[in-house]
Amino acid sequence: MPVLKNIKAIAKGMSITFMEMFQPTQVENYPDGPGPLRGARFEERYRGMHVLQRDENGLEKCVACFLCAAACPSNCIYIEAAENTETNRVSGAERYAKVYNIDYNRCIFCGYCVEACPTDAITHGHGFELASFNASNLIYRKEQMLAAAPAHMGANAVFNSADVAGGAPALPVQGS
Amino acid sequence: MASLVSHPDEVKVVSRRFGQGATNIDRYLELDGYKAVQKAFAMEPDAIINEVKNSGLRGRGGAGFSTGMKWSFVPKQSAKPKYVLCNGDESEPGTCKDRLIFEHDPHAVIEGVMIAALAVGSQTGYIYIRGEYRYLSIIMQKALADAYARGFLGKNIFGSGRDLDIYWHGGAGAYEVGEESALMESLEGKRGIPRIRPPFPAVVGLWGGPTVINNAETLASVPHIILGGAEWYAKVGTPKNGGTRLFCLSGNLEKPGVYELPMGYNLRKMIYEVGGGIPNGRELKAVVPGGSSTPVLLPEEIDISMDFDSVAKAGSMLGSGGVVVLDDTNCIVKFALRTMKFYRHESCGWCIPCREGTDWLEKTLTRFHAGGGLKKDIDNIQYLSENMLGRTFCPLGDAAAMPTIAFVKKFRKEFEDHLEGRPCPFERAGAVEQLPVLA
Amino acid sequence: MPDVTLTVDGKKLTAPAGTLLIEACKSAGIEIPSFCYYPNLSLQGACRMCLVKIEKMPKLQTACTTVVTEGMIVTSDNEEVRQARKSMVELLLGNHPLDCPVCDAGGECELQDMTFSYGAAESKYMEAKNHKDEQQWSPVVFFDRPRCILCYRCVRVCGEGMDVWALGVQNRGVSSIIAPNKEDHLECEECGMCIDICPVGALTSGAYRYKTRPWEMKHVGTICTHCGDGCKTTLGVRRSDSGMEIVRGDNRDKSGINNDFLCIKGRYAFDFAHHPDRLMQPLIRKNGKLTPANWEEAFELIGKRFAEIRDHDGMIGVVGSSRITNEEAYLLSKFARVVLKTNNVDHHRTADFPALAAALSGKPDSTATMREVYDAPAILLIGNNPTDQHPLLAWQIRNNVRLHRSRLYLINSQTIKLGRQAAGFTQIPAGTEGKVAAYLAGDDAAVEAIITEKNSRETWNALREKLRGEQKLVIIFGSEIRGNDVAVLVKFGSGVHGAKFVCLADYANSRGAADMGLYPDLLPGYHRVADTGKFHDEWTSIPATTGLTLPEMVDAAKASKLKALYVVGANPIGRLGLDPFLFSKTFVVVQEMFLTETAFMADVVLPAANAYEKSGTFTNTCGDLQILKKAGEVTGTKSDFEMIVRIADAMGFDVHKLVPFGAGERTDMGQSRGAQSGEADRHAVWLEARGLEPKMSPLEPTAILDEIQRLVPGYDFSRINLLAGNDQHTTLANSGPGAIQKPELIVPANDNLFSSGTLGRYSKALHSVMESRTQQTSEVAAD
């Protein structure tokens, strides 16, 4: 009987629908979801905005070796190096990056810089909200990419009050 | 002064005047002193060289090169002054023969230098004495002053119309300076670092002049050869290895000391008869036949004749005659470490393999001995030493590498016993600070 | 020497007997690695990297100490050899810190290269590396001790090459360490050769340390702008806010006449270019104060005033520079005569080239190149102290004596350092150099003035005889010999077989300024202004009367006769100690990098580019012509060439007649403007606005090079060689007749190793070295 056959088929189809109704959802409700990521969720491997890491003493891991800049296929990393001194110690080695800019107009998120880094200083974070109406805002400074200082160094050592007063974010950049 | 030992098998040539007050020039003259040099005056230089050549005298410093040959390489005519050098920078661990010669018979060395100077036509001699032998240089200074006072040295010696000056020079405490070209650098007032060869010292040596440089024992043997004749001297030893040699027996022996034995004397006899055997009924474990730089011999390898060629055949070297005997209470790893400590300390630092190699071998052996060794370290030690061997600027690197290779090859089992945090089985418990095992 | 034949890796080679195996292999294209071997330094055999297998030798042999012999069979690369080399690298890396990411040498490190070649990537050791702290030896030399691999190159180049002997080895064995001469610091010539020669990053430059990495820079091989020797210095350039920043000067490119050499100025004193006092925009005096203005305003004002003064027959003076390029000097010379219609042109003279040109006229092959000073069998040096004033010349002489056993004869009123190399040193009373020339030339009466207690008549006789017997003698003289004395000395030289001359001037392009006619009485090529000749044909109108020299201009200014003064890259008030208020009634235009004493008094100051920021050519004191390559542009400055052309344009002069652009045989296709390198072609706007040929810009020095090549005798060089960066000798043999100049017009710069005229005042590196010197001296005095 074709009618029965059809009913059976519909029932089978609907059963899958009902079954799936109670499964956890795969759809991300971004940007209306809960939490700081507003519903966004990432695989570990996702290559988002770069994070410049710190070592266990809170010093920057980057020693300004320029290997990331050399490896970069889109030539978007600009570094100026300087030497650490007794009074101004920024990184663990002799040299640190005085200026570290990534031009996100050009970055293709290939991850070569991360691979090239001998000190594991540059990593891909999960930051992805990079859109801007002004291209010059897309050149990110070191301060915007640095990982937050460890707790014992203060909540957000990246920007001091003067920086914040000058327009720097008071909280660590999202996704980092 | 060290007390002297003796054994009936000894053939006293160089040590003839030991213990007889021969430091006094009058006493020395009574004991046939300065007769050889007077005899040499009557000989042609070539005749002297031939006599020494025929005696089969081979360098007593360690390399065992024919002394007569060495002298014959010096050019007859030279625009620059020629020199005769006596190498008294005796620093090889296990060797203490030159010390006795300087202490008991300094004039014999002076006489040897004089004869060498006659043979090669030199007017200046230097006696270089090891820095740590400061007290011996006082004896040598007195001997030289006496010789000058008698007119044996200086202008117109022995009324022959020839001039000859001999100076003593003290080292500053470097094993490396025992190497002939480094000794010359040191004598010239520079860092004791070997020179590039060729040119060899016989052509370009001290201050750029042709130079004969011989070990103190070699030179002290020369007067006896001139007096006694080459044939007599050659007969004492074995063919190609003429004469006698001062063997310095040390280590676990009943009667250690310096014995003058004919070349080719059996090593087993030397240990068990001359040296009186191992004390307290212990077993022989290993013998170092010629100073710390020579590869070690196992008990089953000691039935050899102690001459340059036979020992070389047995895979070691006669070296400078320092026989070090180890009984079964000794840890070979510790012995290797102690040897390496010496070489690390004495490396001049000129070339990479010796400078860095000795440092790493010492570091690795220290950890190994303390029980922090890994299985691959044994291979590493061998690998390191093999890479030093034959690639260094001077023989010091070889001297450090050769014994180490032998230790690892012949006593691998003992190295393995030190593995994985186990303390040295030969040390009292807690004597060695245990290191954590490194992964 | 006869050649010997040997076989290396199955390849048959021939090499002169006595050649080292490593060199024989190198010339056959077989690379043998080494750390301690360095050409022309003593042999070490210390690094054991050059081990090769030689047949019939039981052990591996070092190629750097082995001399080739007939029939030698060598294997330079087999398993055993590779293993030996690998193990050396392994051993070195044992104690070598692996801080390549921060090390300055990272990327141009010989140890890195060896590790890549021989693959000692895994460490066999577990123990801690031996550590020693880093030391600062001088303001410009740092020594990171653990990185040192003890190749002793620095010790040798300092001792043998520089004859300074400031470095040595301390301790022995694994604690061996290179140490400076004064316990913890260096007292030396600060040449930095040790840094350049260091195969690893142990010796680092205080000026460059930790600033960037080798591959991040553009390397521009150009000519040093300090003394008159013309060393090639390779500038490491990075982009920066102001356009470009020079971060390093070194001798990476060893193709110049200086080969391995570079002194403190060539290596560190590029930093004046980034001095904060650098002028970045034109200044115009308004209400008695210099106020910033824009370029158009400045050119308009200058053009108007110059034209006015010229048209009313007012007197205009032009002062050129010894540091501008040949093209600029030529253009200035032409501009003065053709546009300003005056012969009042002069510059700061430091040597008497017109006299030399007059004396050598018609004598081909009678000037020596800088390279010849290194090869000459005998050298006579009268006056000067090259160690301080001509470091490269001193290096050439020193190493000629050391390596070629050349005979050096010194005649000087001071005991100078080169005396150590001299076969004969003759001290004379100060100021009697001219008498020496006269005596050498045969005037026996002149000997009276130069006889001293030490040097009798007989000594002088013997010396003269010896010199007369020399062949290919290079006669080098400083500014002490000038005027007539030059001719007299040349007369002596003509009696010596193959003698050649070098006249020492103090600034980078002193010779060029002279050759290009920055004289009131001479045109380019030492042609007299009055002579009719090719310049009159080409330039059409040249005032016939001799112009004013610089002192005469000053007198004219005092008498309020000088209406305008145009100073291009010179600082007469500061350098010649003039009264600053002299020119208060004169319209003074100064093209300068800094607000110097002269610029401070000017009515218009135009910010100029320096020699590192423009292209062109320099002629060194020997007459060697070399190309300047532009390292980059600093925002807000213009080259002197461009400014001269723009002023001519502003005066209403037809630029075509000044710079024959577009009419030349060659076009530059825009390379030198940077049009192809991605740089903005900022000339294009101005060119197009005036409907000018865009193919070849009149603001481009190359445009006038054709004319220089055609008109200036001795400058008929090969353009391709020039562009390739080779040095070419310009001779004085076909020059114009020259003219005898008043000796007092020559004022030596009196610079030493650590000073460099006005430029030196703005170099932090030179200052820091001098400060540390005075500090040390005062400490010693306090002790």
Side-chain angles (χ1 to χ4, degrees):
Chain A
M1 293 282 277
V3 177
L4 280 179
K5 220 174 181 179
N6 288 349
I7 289 171
K8 194 181 165 197
I10 289 169
K12 192 182 175 193
M14 290 312 285
S15 74
I16 292 171
T17 307
F18 280 113
M19 241 157 66
E20 289 299 319
M21 258 165 91
F22 301 103
Q23 293 294 317
T25 174
Q26 294 293 327
V27 178
E28 282 153 23
N29 195 17
Y30 175 83
D32 299 322
L37 290 178
R38 289 183 285 162
R41 214 159 53 81
F42 296 100
E43 295 301 329
E44 265 310 295
R45 62 173 184 267
Y46 177 77
R47 294 198 291 253
M49 190 189 117
H50 298 87
V51 180
L52 291 171
Q53 302 291 349
R54 291 174 185 273
D55 65 13
E56 57 276 23
N57 297 319
L59 294 170
E60 289 169 18
K61 276 188 174 178
C62 176
V63 296
C65 74
F66 290 77
L67 285 175
C68 48
C72 182
S74 57
N75 202 8
C76 68
I77 303 179
Y78 177 82
I79 305 171
E80 275 176 32
E83 193 181 350
N84 282 311
T85 57
E86 290 286 314
T87 47
N88 179 30
R89 177 153 284 284
V90 179
S91 79
E94 283 97 327
R95 189 171 49 206
Y96 72 96
K98 192 172 69 182
V99 175
Y100 193 111
N101 294 345
I102 294 182
D103 183 351
Y104 283 105
N105 290 298
R106 307 181 69 156
C107 179
I108 58 168
F109 298 92
C110 64
Y112 282 7
C113 49
V114 177
E115 217 161 296
C117 185
T119 60
D120 291 340
I122 187 164
T123 57
H124 274 296
H126 289 171
F128 65 103
E129 291 166 312
L130 290 164
S132 167
F133 286 112
N134 185 344
S136 59
N137 286 353
L138 284 174
I139 298 171
Y140 274 55
R141 293 183 299 139
K142 182 176 90 172
E143 290 74 9
Q144 290 165 284
M145 294 182 283
L146 259 181
H152 65 269
M153 291 185 73
N156 186 4
V158 180
F159 295 109
N160 58 31
S161 51
D163 284 335
V164 174
L171 288 168
V173 174
Q174 270 187 13
S176 58
Chain B
M1 284 193 185
S3 56
L4 294 164
V5 290
S6 71
H7 187 268
D9 278 2
E10 273 192 289
V11 179
K12 299 223 173 203
V13 178
V14 175
S15 61
R16 243 175 80 193
R17 304 189 190 97
F18 284 11
Q20 303 191 39
T23 45
N24 183 311
I25 192 161
D26 291 317
R27 181 75 186 129
Y28 181 71
L29 286 167
E30 276 169 37
L31 296 165
D32 299 337
Y34 290 109
K35 277 194 184 149
V37 70
Q38 291 182 52
K39 189 179 170 189
F41 266 113
M43 295 163 75
E44 285 293 311
D46 282 343
I48 303 175
I49 294 176
N50 273 334
E51 194 78 1
V52 176
K53 237 186 234 175
N54 295 337
S55 73
L57 176 64
R58 291 172 68 165
R60 300 300 194 227
F65 193 76
S66 162
T67 307
M69 289 283 274
K70 208 177 202 176
W71 293 7
S72 66
F73 292 151
V74 176
K76 292 270 174 292
Q77 303 297 327
S78 160
K80 286 197 171 169
K82 303 179 212 175
Y83 298 96
V84 174
L85 258 61
C86 166
N87 182 349
D89 192 72
E90 176 183 64
S91 321
E92 179 95 357
T95 312
C96 50
K97 58 193 179 59
D98 297 348
R99 172 178 153 192
L100 284 182
I101 300 172
F102 287 131
E103 189 175 321
H104 291 278
D105 203 1
H107 286 286
V109 180
I110 298 172
E111 206 177 340
V113 173
M114 290 167 80
I115 295 168
L118 287 180
V120 301
S122 152
Q123 296 191 335
T124 318
Y126 289 94
I127 297 173
Y128 191 102
I129 298 173
R130 179 184 177 195
E132 288 84 344
Y133 287 173
R134 192 106 313 177
Y135 70 108
L136 295 179
S137 56
I138 295 166
I139 298 174
M140 181 53 73
Q141 280 174 65
K142 184 170 179 303
L144 283 170
D146 289 345
Y148 269 102
R150 299 290 166 106
F152 298 166
L153 288 174
K155 300 259 175 251
N156 189 18
I157 53 170
F158 293 106
S160 66
R162 290 187 56 126
D163 302 339
L164 176 61
D165 285 304
I166 298 179
Y167 308 95
W168 78 276
H169 193 282
Y175 172 74
E176 177 58 19
V177 171
E179 202 275 347
E180 52 185 26
S181 59
L183 187 143
M184 288 176 211
E185 289 279 301
S186 164
L187 203 52
E188 289 179 10
K190 303 175 194 156
R191 279 169 74 80
I193 284 166
R195 294 177 178 173
I196 295 169
R197 284 175 296 175
F200 288 95
V203 186
V204 181
L206 188 65
W207 314 111
T211 306
V212 161
I213 173 162
N214 283 117
N215 181 259
E217 189 192 348
T218 318
L219 286 169
S221 311
V222 170
H224 302 289
I225 293 168
I226 298 296
L227 268 188
E231 216 173 298
W232 157 77
Y233 188 79
K235 233 189 253 165
V236 179
T238 59
K240 286 193 183 170
N241 287 271
T244 60
R245 161 144 232 200
L246 293 172
F247 287 101
C248 320
L249 270 53
S250 64
N252 304 117
L253 283 173
E254 278 293 355
K255 290 191 286 173
V258 178
Y259 298 90
E260 181 159 21
L261 295 164
M263 292 290 270
Y265 197 83
N266 183 283
L267 179 56
R268 180 178 294 277
K269 252 170 98 184
M270 200 184 287
I271 295 166
Y272 285 99
E273 291 177 23
V274 180
I278 318 280
N280 306 331
R282 296 206 196 97
E283 284 299 309
L284 178 69
K285 184 171 187 178
V287 182
V288 176
S292 64
S293 62
T294 55
V296 70
L297 294 175
L298 293 174
E300 57 269 25
E301 292 171 326
I302 63 170
D303 264 318
I304 52 167
S305 143
M306 286 292 270
D307 59 64
F308 287 107
D309 307 314
S310 312
V311 183
K313 226 191 218 164
S316 185
M317 281 158 60
L318 189 57
S320 55
V323 179
V324 185
V325 179
L326 303 178
D327 71 16
D328 56 4
T329 59
N330 290 290
C331 169
I332 286 293
V333 177
K334 190 176 180 185
F335 190 69
L337 169 61
R338 187 64 196 85
T339 311
M340 195 47 65
K341 266 197 175 150
F342 172 79
Y343 286 109
R344 190 201 87 108
H345 183 248
E346 294 297 343
S347 166
C348 76
W350 187 247
C351 68
I352 296 168
C354 174
R355 177 181 72 226
E356 305 289 343
T358 51
D359 183 47
W360 284 107
L361 281 172
E362 196 221 315
K363 281 181 183 172
T364 314
L365 284 166
T366 307
R367 172 165 53 83
F368 208 97
H369 181 241
L374 297 176
K375 192 139 193 164
K376 67 170 187 183
D377 283 332
I378 306 175
D379 293 327
N380 266 350
I381 292 167
Q382 193 176 340
Y383 172 86
L384 257 173
S385 323
E386 277 169 359
N387 280 316
M388 283 165 69
L389 190 64
R391 288 169 192 167
T392 50
F393 188 81
C394 80
L396 196 145
D398 296 347
M402 279 186 303
T404 313
I405 296 173
F407 288 137
V408 177
K409 276 195 179 154
K410 295 185 178 173
F411 294 94
R412 199 178 178 93
K413 173 80 181 55
E414 204 165 317
F415 276 83
E416 281 167 0
D417 286 344
H418 281 72
L419 285 180
E420 281 142 24
R422 261 177 280 166
C424 176
F426 294 89
E427 299 280 349
R428 283 178 294 112
V432 185
E433 189 202 344
Q434 265 205 51
L435 294 178
V437 184
L438 298 169
Chain C
M1 278 213 250
D3 284 1
V4 294
T5 316
L6 66 157
T7 316
V8 182
D9 298 341
K11 226 183 188 176
K12 279 242 181 299
L13 316 179
T14 32
T19 314
L20 292 171
L21 181 55
I22 194 167
E23 285 291 333
C25 288
K26 197 205 256 174
S27 52
I30 299 166
E31 196 203 346
I32 295 183
S34 74
F35 288 118
C36 71
Y37 175 76
Y38 198 87
N40 293 338
L41 294 181
S42 65
L43 303 180
Q44 306 287 287
C47 75
R48 320 305 287 176
M49 283 303 289
C50 63
L51 290 171
V52 291
K53 178 85 196 149
I54 300 175
E55 233 160 71
K56 290 183 194 142
M57 303 266 201
K59 291 179 183 177
L60 297 178
Q61 299 291 313
T62 47
C64 73
T65 60
T66 308
V67 173
V68 292
T69 52
E70 187 62 47
M72 187 184 247
I73 299 172
V74 182
T75 314
S76 79
D77 196 6
N78 65 13
E79 206 36 58
E80 187 189 6
V81 169
R82 286 192 76 81
Q83 174 54 38
R85 291 177 186 162
K86 180 184 168 189
S87 71
M88 293 309 144
V89 177
E90 250 169 13
L91 284 163
L92 273 182
L93 291 177
N95 270 325
H96 188 93
L98 299 179
D99 62 346
C100 303
V102 284
C103 177
D104 269 346
E108 48 185 19
C109 167
E110 293 181 32
L111 185 58
Q112 267 185 344
D113 296 348
M114 299 278 189
T115 312
F116 273 104
S117 309
Y118 294 98
E122 243 174 80
S123 176
K124 295 201 183 311
Y125 317 119
M126 300 179 196
E127 281 72 20
K129 290 170 192 261
N130 301 337
H131 183 74
K132 300 175 191 102
D133 284 335
E134 191 182 33
Q135 294 179 327
Q136 180 175 11
W137 284 350
S138 87
V140 289
V141 183
F142 284 72
F143 184 47
D144 196 325
R145 296 193 286 176
R147 287 185 196 150
C148 175
I149 59 165
L150 286 166
C151 65
Y152 315 108
R153 281 191 198 175
C154 50
V155 177
R156 284 173 289 155
V157 80
C158 184
E160 296 165 15
M162 292 301 296
D163 193 26
V164 170
W165 304 99
L167 298 172
V169 190
Q170 261 178 7
N171 304 337
R172 72 177 185 201
V174 78
S175 344
S176 300
I177 193 75
I178 306 291
N181 55 355
K182 300 284 171 193
E183 211 159 320
D184 62 341
H185 68 273
L186 273 172
E187 265 179 54
C188 66
E189 296 178 7
E190 308 283 358
C191 66
M193 294 279 289
C194 49
I195 300 170
D196 234 10
I197 211 164
C198 184
V200 293
L203 282 158
T204 52
S205 147
Y208 165 70
R209 253 161 76 88
Y210 300 127
K211 274 200 179 149
T212 182
R213 315 229 70 197
W215 63 83
E216 279 287 307
M217 296 180 282
K218 192 171 87 180
H219 300 280
V220 185
T222 186
I223 307 303
C224 171
T225 181
H226 290 281
C227 83
D229 287 347
C231 292
K232 191 179 254 189
T233 171
T234 307
L235 301 175
V237 187
R238 286 203 70 190
R239 60 197 159 130
S240 81
D241 303 343
S242 61
M244 65 107 184
E245 189 192 353
I246 304 171
V247 283
R248 178 169 87 169
D250 75 354
N251 200 11
R252 180 187 164 104
D253 179 352
K254 294 191 192 335
S255 65
I257 51 175
N258 47 324
N259 256 322
D260 296 314
F261 179 78
L262 211 54
C263 80
I264 171 168
K265 289 184 235 174
R267 196 179 302 278
Y268 308 112
F270 53 79
D271 55 352
F272 62 82
H274 313 298
H275 196 278
D277 290 354
R278 180 94 190 256
L279 298 174
M280 296 291 200
Q281 54 182 327
L283 302 173
I284 296 178
R285 192 169 296 277
K286 287 176 185 158
N287 305 324
K289 262 180 87 180
L290 282 172
T291 38
N294 65 38
W295 285 100
E296 297 306 325
E297 204 181 334
F299 285 132
E300 210 171 291
L301 174 67
I302 299 166
K304 204 179 94 206
R305 292 296 308 273
F306 276 0
E308 261 171 34
I309 295 168
R310 177 195 59 191
D311 297 341
H312 294 87
D313 289 330
M315 195 184 279
I316 303 179
V318 176
V319 181
S321 161
S322 305
R323 276 180 171 142
I324 54 177
T325 63
N326 287 328
E327 290 79 0
E328 286 163 349
Y330 180 91
L331 182 73
L332 185 63
S333 187
K334 188 174 177 182
F335 171 80
R337 270 112 188 179
V338 177
V339 183
L340 296 180
K341 301 192 190 305
T342 176
N343 273 326
N344 303 336
V345 186
D346 207 349
H347 70 288
H348 179 178
R349 311 176 189 187
T350 53
D352 203 343
F353 288 115
L356 185 69
L360 293 181
S361 174
K363 291 196 175 91
D365 294 331
S366 47
T367 46
T369 65
M370 191 55 94
R371 291 184 194 273
E372 276 169 342
V373 176
Y374 176 68
D375 291 328
I379 296 164
L380 167 65
L381 174 64
I382 306 175
N384 205 283
N385 180 8
T387 312
D388 264 7
Q389 294 163 21
H390 294 273
L392 171 62
L393 189 86
W395 164 272
Q396 298 286 78
I397 295 176
R398 207 162 38 226
N399 287 290
N400 190 4
V401 172
R402 178 171 69 93
L403 298 167
H404 308 139
R405 307 244 168 272
S406 163
R407 289 168 300 282
L408 170 66
Y409 303 96
L410 276 189
I411 298 174
N412 206 305
S413 57
Q414 310 280 323
T415 44
I416 59 174
K417 196 184 140 204
L418 272 177
R420 296 194 214 163
Q421 275 75 31
F425 173 64
T426 321
Q427 193 160 9
I428 51 168
T432 56
E433 286 84 359
K435 297 282 180 197
V436 173
Y439 174 72
L440 290 178
D443 178 6
D444 287 329
V447 80
E448 296 303 333
I450 49 175
I451 287 181
T452 59
E453 265 175 48
K454 268 190 175 166
N455 306 305
S456 62
R457 187 184 299 267
E458 287 68 41
T459 343
W460 280 108
N461 264 329
L463 178 67
R464 185 164 68 179
E465 282 319 302
K466 234 192 241 173
L467 287 170
R468 281 178 177 163
E470 289 291 357
Q471 302 231 323
K472 295 188 178 168
L473 178 70
V474 171
I475 300 169
I476 306 171
F477 59 96
S479 59
E480 292 91 339
I481 292 193
R482 42 178 102 151
N484 243 334
D485 298 340
V486 178
V488 174
L489 190 65
V490 170
K491 191 183 148 211
F492 156 71
S494 56
V496 180
H497 184 79
K500 292 184 176 186
F501 293 88
V502 172
C503 172
L504 297 178
D506 295 340
Y507 292 115
N509 202 25
S510 284
R511 172 69 179 272
D515 285 354
M516 294 304 142
L518 290 181
Y519 288 101
D521 49 351
L522 294 172
L523 296 175
Y526 307 100
H527 288 287
R528 291 185 186 147
V529 286
D531 293 348
T532 51
K534 46 187 177 178
F535 282 101
H536 286 264
D537 300 340
E538 291 257 351
W539 290 9
T540 57
S541 63
I542 299 172
T545 48
T546 301
L548 301 182
T549 61
L550 187 48
E552 286 164 350
M553 288 183 218
V554 171
D555 291 340
K558 262 185 210 158
S560 302
K561 277 198 268 175
L562 190 73
K563 295 294 175 221
L565 185 68
Y566 180 30
V567 183
V568 177
N571 181 15
I573 294 180
R575 297 297 289 170
L576 305 176
L578 304 178
D579 173 10
F581 297 103
L582 269 178
F583 301 109
S584 47
K585 299 250 171 62
T586 312
F587 176 66
V588 182
V589 177
V590 176
Q591 293 177 194
E592 239 323 333
M593 287 170 63
F594 301 103
L595 213 54
T596 60
E597 290 86 341
T598 312
F600 192 72
M601 298 308 298
D603 293 282
V604 184
V605 185
L606 302 175
N610 60 52
Y612 296 147
E613 295 156 11
K614 58 193 177 194
S615 41
T617 58
F618 266 6
T619 311
N620 78 354
T621 191
C622 298
D624 302 327
L625 182 91
Q626 296 178 91
I627 193 165
L628 271 184
K629 289 195 177 141
K630 186 155 116 186
E633 274 177 13
V634 169
T635 317
T637 65
K638 285 185 193 302
S639 73
D640 292 308
F641 196 95
E642 182 178 348
M643 291 190 275
I644 298 169
V645 174
R646 299 274 308 257
I647 290 172
D649 174 62
M651 288 173 73
F653 193 81
D654 178 8
V655 174
H656 272 102
K657 286 191 182 149
L658 189 63
V659 186
F661 67 100
E665 293 161 27
R666 305 165 184 86
T667 54
D668 86 331
M669 314 287 276
Q671 289 103 324
S672 48
R673 293 207 307 271
Q676 293 188 347
S677 60
E679 233 176 276
D681 190 353
R682 60 187 178 76
H683 296 159
V685 181
W686 186 84
L687 290 169
E688 225 166 286
R690 279 157 183 78
L692 297 170
E693 173 86 77
K695 203 159 68 179
M696 174 80 121
S697 152
L699 307 181
E700 171 50 50
T702 336
I704 209 159
L705 209 52
D706 277 329
E707 190 174 311
I708 294 178
Q709 278 185 280
R710 198 169 64 239
L711 293 183
V712 183
Y715 277 74
D716 44 356
F717 50 82
S718 135
R719 190 75 80 92
I720 192 85
N721 264 329
L722 180 79
L723 290 175
N726 298 335
D727 53 292
Q728 294 174 72
H729 195 61
T730 62
T731 70
L732 292 171
N734 304 319
S735 298
I740 292 301
Q741 307 285 327
K742 282 188 208 143
E744 62 271 18
L745 289 174
I746 293 170
V747 184
N750 286 328
D751 281 326
N752 62 22
L753 263 179
F754 309 120
S755 71
S756 179
T758 310
L759 283 189
R761 300 209 308 242
Y762 295 93
S763 165
K764 270 190 202 154
L766 293 183
H767 269 285
S768 62
V769 169
M770 277 207 281
E771 266 163 34
S772 83
R773 299 242 138 188
T774 39
Q775 215 175 336
Q776 282 156 16
T777 358
S778 61
E779 271 168 24
V780 172
D783 288 344

